[in-house]
Amino acid sequence: MSDNNPKPPDSPESDFSKQWPSELYEYLNLDDDQLACDELDSFVSGHVLSPNTDQANEVGDLVGSSSHHEEFSTNVDEKKEVRDRVAFKTKSEIEIMDDGFKWRKYGKKKVKNSPNPRNYYKCSVDGCSVKKTVEREKDDPRYVITTYVGTHTHPSNS
DNA sequence: CGGGTTTGACCGGCGC
DNA sequence: GCGCCGGTCAAACCCG
């Protein structure tokens, strides 16, 4: 948390950052409760900017391990662009979850480390360049890994 | 008619 | 220098 990004002063909703994770938590809770699975709860929050393949490996390993949650504190490794990378692992048969935002799919790619394709979504709101990537777990196809990149600059509810 | 989705192609970065 | 890999764009198509 404490991801205080350079939000414009004309943003009436300064606590939108708090609102965002709240909804996600709701989903996670619902999902968890719905399936009564206490073995999952992967909450991975990172912001590694290094374009290194190691990054993917780490994430994959983390997800593959499961059974335990990891939390990365804000390391403030900011360079110039503030790209918050937040990955969520959710148990769902569908990857298209409406979190209150409108997403436009702009690409689909098949990763080598996974037999399943990866979907790329982008926020439809003008001025909001938040991206989202959805990928299925390679070990457990019933798990969905959603990675959010960036911060919304507009209210979730229209 | 407009926006959203789809798929392939293209590109940039890194490794070898 | 080339190949691999991941990410993005764009044209076409589909649906409301």
Side-chain angles (χ1 to χ4, degrees):
Chain A
M1 306 62 180
S2 63
D3 46 347
N4 291 334
N5 282 326
K7 63 248 337 224
D10 62 351
S11 269
E13 291 84 10
S14 45
D15 51 316
F16 70 92
S17 50
K18 189 208 307 196
Q19 202 171 35
W20 183 46
S22 273
E23 297 196 37
L24 284 168
Y25 266 112
E26 204 171 64
Y27 273 101
L28 287 167
N29 277 325
L30 261 162
D31 203 7
D32 197 2
D33 189 70
Q34 194 174 11
L35 291 147
C37 277
D38 50 281
E39 52 168 292
L40 61 102
D41 45 48
S42 279
F43 172 103
V44 189
S45 77
H47 57 278
V48 190
L49 271 169
S50 315
N52 202 345
T53 42
D54 244 76
Q55 180 194 347
N57 262 339
E58 215 167 300
V59 176
D61 197 67
L62 247 162
V63 172
S65 283
S66 83
S67 299
H68 84 280
H69 66 290
E70 291 275 323
E71 287 188 38
F72 286 92
S73 302
T74 21
N75 242 355
V76 257
D77 228 80
E78 82 301 292
K79 301 185 159 184
K80 268 188 260 162
E81 304 185 13
V82 254
R83 279 190 182 166
D84 282 314
R85 189 173 179 149
V86 187
F88 292 95
K89 189 169 108 172
T90 320
K91 179 181 269 175
S92 182
E93 48 183 290
I94 48 171
E95 56 210 66
I96 308 171
M97 294 186 293
D98 189 19
D99 49 1
F101 297 104
K102 289 294 188 270
W103 301 95
R104 178 181 106 262
K105 189 186 293 179
Y106 72 91
K108 175 166 58 202
K109 202 47 189 287
K110 196 189 189 143
V111 280
K112 197 177 162 234
N113 228 91
S114 222
N116 307 309
R118 180 180 291 171
N119 299 305
Y120 296 89
Y121 293 90
K122 194 181 155 192
C123 194
S124 291
V125 178
D126 177 60
C128 198
S129 54
V130 180
K131 286 179 278 188
K132 174 172 80 173
T133 47
V134 182
E135 184 188 2
R136 274 209 212 308
E137 168 65 79
K138 85 180 180 112
D139 265 331
D140 293 286
R142 31 212 157 248
Y143 289 93
V144 178
I145 304 163
T146 310
T147 310
Y148 290 87
V149 182
T151 310
H152 289 284
T153 55
H154 68 94
S156 47
N157 193 358
S158 24

